[in-house]
Amino acid sequence: MNFAGTFKISTPSDTEIQISRDFAAPRELVFDAFTQPELLKRWLSGPPGWSFVVCEVDLRVGGAYRFVWRGPDGTEMGLGGVHREIARPERVVSTQLYDQDWTGGEAIGTLLLTEKDGVTRSTNTIRYQSKEARDGALASGMDQGMAAGYDRLEELLPALQVEDRS
Amino acid sequence: MTPQRLDATFAALADPTRRAILARLALGEASVTELAEPFAISQPAISKHLKVLERAGLISIGSDAQRRPRRLEPEPLAEANQWLERYREFWEASFLRLDDLLDEMKAIRGPTAPPADASSSKKSRTTIHRSTTNKRGEKE
């Protein structure tokens, strides 16, 4: 069972990106899937053709984590940070910094899990140090990434599909 | 697509009036007067918005010299969207894999069971990895 239709990327403020999605599982399980390396390796494994080469998580306040993906052409993309707050199974707050530092310094990620009738909503909010940093992350993160206008663009797309001139 | 062009696209999209103008132009070309009609703002203000959209390459001026109608140029938006899609795809694909993993964890642990140790989750790793592509393909 999946809730693919509940997937949402938004920009709740000038300095934040938020990704949310519902899952058909109790939040204890979702929490583990987001925090245990053995489980993370099985789903956060990157686009097709990429491998998840480093996945280390020290799930303690002050403990570090590190993820590295390797692309088909050998390009590596890594990021890591330190846990600031852990409240199983509800919340994890951690710092986040890409090796390339295209976000101009550390960002703060908050994973929030809420459960209702056996369905868990995960909301991942990443707060950057500035709007420029957020837009930088949007512009270059995750291979190519996405951009600040995502919500706005999405709102407009149905109208644009009426017209097919490209 | 260059970062500059993408910046211009998103800056242009950041304004509700400009989005409304684009939505209107998606239905067909329109003169500046026609575009100004639904808005409670002056024509010069509309012209200013049109200039921003023009600079971003989102609209162009049609061939009718008298009316100088504006028309939508869908390409920058299509490019911006394509580029955004990759990030979305990364997470959508990851979350679909997570759905499978959670189903498997539920089967192993039961819905309310305490977290299992690492060894129990290793058992069926291969099954999940293989089913991912199928599931993605089917979802559309």
Side-chain angles (χ1 to χ4, degrees):
Chain A
M1 184 170 177
N2 75 62
F3 287 96
T6 63
F7 177 77
K8 199 171 171 249
I9 296 177
S10 60
T11 48
S13 77
D14 267 5
T15 57
E16 291 170 307
I17 302 172
Q18 193 170 75
I19 303 165
S20 65
R21 168 71 139 81
D22 290 358
F23 296 97
R27 65 177 176 176
E28 283 78 10
L29 298 192
V30 181
F31 185 92
D32 287 350
F34 269 97
T35 53
Q36 292 184 6
E38 282 308 312
L39 300 173
L40 276 167
K41 273 185 204 161
R42 293 177 44 193
W43 68 272
L44 201 61
S45 42
W50 284 64
S51 49
F52 200 178
V53 289
V54 178
C55 178
E56 295 164 352
V57 181
D58 179 5
L59 195 62
R60 290 181 297 183
V61 172
Y65 70 93
R66 177 154 177 81
F67 302 146
V68 180
W69 292 271
R70 187 180 294 141
D73 62 352
T75 316
E76 287 199 349
M77 199 190 70
L79 84 152
V82 171
H83 295 112
R84 285 195 173 175
E85 201 184 314
I86 296 161
R88 185 176 194 278
E90 197 189 0
R91 216 170 118 86
V92 178
V93 180
S94 48
T95 63
Q96 185 183 95
L97 185 64
Y98 281 89
D99 293 356
Q100 289 85 351
D101 190 18
W102 46 47
T103 58
E106 257 176 12
I108 308 292
T110 301
L111 172 71
L112 183 71
L113 302 176
T114 52
E115 184 180 341
K116 202 183 159 199
D117 304 324
V119 174
T120 299
R121 171 158 302 169
S122 85
T123 308
N124 209 336
T125 309
I126 304 153
R127 196 179 77 240
Y128 296 90
Q129 288 183 5
S130 64
K131 182 181 187 303
E132 290 67 33
R134 193 275 308 264
D135 292 349
L138 289 168
S140 22
M142 209 44 79
D143 189 21
Q144 287 296 318
M146 63 166 213
Y150 193 87
D151 289 351
R152 289 142 192 171
L153 185 57
E154 194 168 48
E155 189 180 300
L156 192 62
L157 285 172
L160 294 179
Q161 276 148 16
V162 173
E163 169 134 328
D164 193 25
R165 291 195 320 202
S166 50
Chain B
M1 173 172 241
T2 65
Q4 289 83 353
R5 183 158 169 192
L6 211 53
D7 286 350
T9 303
F10 286 115
L13 289 173
D15 181 271
T17 306
R18 291 197 288 270
R19 294 200 294 279
I21 291 172
L22 288 174
R24 164 65 188 84
L25 290 175
L27 305 171
E29 38 176 66
S31 69
V32 179
T33 324
E34 284 164 349
L35 286 171
E37 251 167 44
F39 300 104
I41 54 173
S42 67
Q43 199 162 309
I46 288 290
S47 298
K48 231 180 194 172
H49 284 307
L50 290 172
K51 237 179 220 125
V52 176
L53 291 168
E54 220 177 297
R55 271 202 302 266
L58 290 162
I59 63 170
S60 62
I61 301 175
S63 44
D64 182 340
Q66 264 82 54
R67 286 176 71 237
R68 292 173 52 78
R70 269 31 178 210
R71 67 166 173 236
L72 186 73
E73 290 297 333
E75 207 169 299
L77 276 176
E79 282 175 21
N81 187 49
Q82 194 182 3
W83 181 80
L84 296 173
E85 262 319 292
R86 293 204 212 171
Y87 188 85
R88 189 180 184 93
E89 274 170 14
F90 173 89
W91 284 103
E92 277 189 321
S94 300
F95 286 154
L96 283 169
R97 289 191 292 255
L98 179 52
D99 284 326
D100 289 347
L101 173 63
L102 289 167
D103 282 346
E104 190 186 314
M105 288 166 75
K106 274 195 287 188
I108 294 169
R109 298 183 187 183
T112 52
D117 58 343
S119 62
S120 68
S121 55
K122 269 179 195 161
K123 277 177 202 161
S124 38
R125 174 178 304 186
T126 5
T127 5
I128 284 212
H129 252 275
R130 290 306 131 219
S131 65
T132 312
T133 9
N134 291 342
K135 202 155 185 190
R136 262 210 84 194
E138 282 162 17
K139 88 186 159 69
E140 257 73 49

